[in-house]
Amino acid sequence: MLNFAVGPVMMEDKILRLGAEQIPYFRTAEFSAIMKENEEMMRQCMGAGNGSRVLFLTGSGTAAMEAVVWNVFTSRDHVLVVNGGSFGARFAKLCRIHRIPCTEICLPFGQTLTEADLAPYDGQGYTGFLVNLLETSSGVSYDIDLISRFCHKNGCLLACDAVSSFLADPLFMEKQGIDVVLTGSQKCLALPPGLSVITLNARAVRRVEENEIESMYFDLKDCLKNGERGQTPFTPAVSVLIQLHARLEDITKRGVESEFARTSELAAHFRRGIEGLPLEITSARLSNAVTPLHPLNTSAYSVFLTLKDEYDIYVCPNGGDQADQVFRVGHMGHLTKADNQKLLDAFSDMQRRGLL
């Protein structure tokens, strides 16, 4: 099986072996030491500044999205949400659920955010900004430097979903003026699903500590307190956190920039390879993490099914009204140019057979 989906992704053999081991008891000094090292390495990978904290939630990226909306913002805020697809819509829905006043910047599918899109909201008293740096449903990457300048000018607290873009596209919290970043284990971290990670700078930590929420599992103050001793309030995804430790050791040893470069090279190799095939890239601003494709002669969902059933290769289908229009090829995880070539060969064979 070869997996080009956008999560879960292909994992290294070392990570797979760790996942097959017996799971140790975690309320120990040894596990606390692992967790403290995980926090420090994540801070380093995120480019987070002094006073930042890293929290580990047992839950998908949506759990982290909800925790951030609920703990960082209040009904006294007015938050801008970039909605260019299903994940932007999810941020807006979470704001409504938790009664956080929000305004959506709605973008057409496949289009990116521009300075002109932001102009009507300049100087209008917004206090927060929520954005999925990579709108995974459309494959559109948003310009974090453009957004950061807007937030700095308007005094907005900037919270970013980097579930799919972390380690694929350059991200440096302190340098780029980002207050909160959340990510997940099953994307470029190339681990099993079930773990999400929230990094808060000092300003966001103060927000969490000052806000009162009615929740047991999602109270980030409790996570901050337990994190001081290298623990979580409740039973964590122990084996995934051990796998995370091994993965972060490798990344920090090589340097986070090497991860950006590797993913960028894989994406560029694949995009050169599809030239001449009846496939059209649909994103106005691409991330290194994923290539969204519209097949010119057939249904996108039929391409997904044929690759899965006849070639044992997974790409990522879209849902809703885009199901027959777009599928996505991920460049995350333990993939190589040789793997790319296997997918490109499958496309060529499908074209020969009249299936593409």
Side-chain angles (χ1 to χ4, degrees):
M1 186 271 286
L2 191 54
N3 188 3
F4 288 90
V6 292
V9 301
M10 302 290 284
M11 294 185 283
E12 295 178 274
D13 289 343
K14 177 172 71 172
I15 299 301
L16 292 170
R17 287 193 297 269
L18 281 172
E21 292 181 0
Q22 293 288 350
I23 301 172
Y25 181 61
F26 61 97
R27 300 296 191 198
T28 63
E30 291 80 4
F31 188 71
S32 291
I34 287 173
M35 290 293 284
K36 295 294 282 184
E37 290 174 6
N38 279 348
E39 180 171 15
E40 182 53 39
M41 288 188 289
M42 279 298 301
R43 267 199 295 257
Q44 185 177 335
C45 290
M46 287 284 184
N50 293 333
S52 60
R53 294 290 306 277
V54 181
L55 308 178
F56 302 93
L57 294 181
T58 299
S60 70
T62 302
M65 291 172 72
E66 179 155 25
V68 166
V69 169
W70 202 353
N71 284 263
V72 174
F73 300 105
T74 74
S75 60
R76 298 184 298 275
D77 285 297
H78 195 175
V79 178
L80 278 171
V81 179
V82 179
N83 182 353
S86 59
F87 292 96
R90 191 169 300 179
F91 258 145
K93 183 176 181 179
L94 286 167
C95 285
R96 291 191 293 271
I97 288 171
H98 294 291
R99 296 178 174 81
I100 310 297
C102 75
T103 298
E104 298 176 57
I105 305 175
C106 293
L107 303 173
F109 188 88
Q111 297 304 303
T112 192
L113 184 74
T114 67
E115 195 165 352
D117 294 318
L118 290 173
Y121 308 99
D122 191 16
Q124 299 303 305
Y126 290 96
T127 59
F129 199 108
L130 285 166
V131 62
N132 317 88
L133 291 180
L134 167 55
E135 175 50 69
T136 320
S137 66
S138 65
V140 172
S141 174
Y142 298 124
D143 185 344
I144 182 55
D145 295 319
L146 169 69
I147 293 168
S148 180
R149 288 194 299 271
F150 174 90
C151 289
H152 179 75
K153 180 181 179 182
N154 287 273
C156 296
L157 189 144
L158 174 55
C160 298
D161 158 16
V163 170
S164 295
S165 61
F166 175 59
L167 298 178
D169 303 316
L171 174 69
F172 304 98
M173 284 183 67
E174 185 174 33
K175 180 181 177 182
Q176 294 173 312
I178 306 171
D179 297 286
V180 182
V181 174
L182 62 97
T183 192
S185 56
Q186 79 278 20
K187 305 285 188 175
C188 289
L189 278 168
L191 304 172
L195 178 71
S196 57
V197 185
I198 301 170
T199 305
L200 308 165
N201 72 2
R203 178 163 76 143
V205 168
R206 289 193 297 272
R207 276 278 193 131
V208 169
E209 291 175 337
E210 292 167 0
N211 292 345
E212 295 294 331
I213 71 164
E214 294 184 0
S215 175
M216 178 177 287
Y217 197 79
F218 287 101
D219 187 349
L220 294 188
K221 283 192 294 297
D222 205 4
C223 296
L224 286 168
K225 181 179 178 181
N226 278 271
E228 291 173 2
R229 61 189 182 100
Q231 290 287 333
T232 57
F234 309 104
T235 304
V238 177
S239 61
V240 184
L241 286 160
I242 293 170
Q243 291 168 304
L244 174 67
H245 188 265
R247 181 82 169 99
L248 291 175
E249 281 188 323
D250 287 345
I251 293 168
T252 54
K253 189 180 301 180
R254 292 192 302 267
V256 70
E257 289 83 0
S258 70
E259 288 292 309
F260 305 146
R262 188 186 66 83
T263 311
S264 174
E265 190 175 346
L266 272 177
H269 175 263
F270 173 78
R271 290 165 189 166
R272 288 193 300 270
I274 60 171
E275 292 175 5
L277 290 172
L279 295 168
E280 179 180 67
I281 293 175
T282 61
S283 169
R285 190 174 190 273
L286 287 165
S287 162
N288 294 323
V290 62
T291 302
L293 294 169
H294 168 62
L296 301 179
N297 302 323
T298 190
S299 155
Y301 196 74
S302 72
V303 173
F304 159 72
L305 289 176
T306 301
L307 286 170
K308 175 178 69 73
D309 295 340
E310 300 187 30
Y311 297 88
D312 201 23
I313 295 175
Y314 284 88
V315 294
C316 203
N318 268 31
D321 59 2
Q322 293 296 321
D324 288 321
Q325 301 302 312
V326 175
F327 68 91
R328 294 159 290 159
V329 175
H331 312 297
M332 311 172 191
H334 187 52
L335 290 168
T336 66
K337 290 180 181 177
D339 294 326
N340 277 352
Q341 193 58 54
K342 290 176 184 176
L343 177 56
L344 294 169
D345 290 344
F347 283 149
S348 295
D349 189 53
M350 288 172 63
Q351 184 182 30
R352 180 186 61 80
R353 297 168 58 201
L355 300 174
L356 184 67

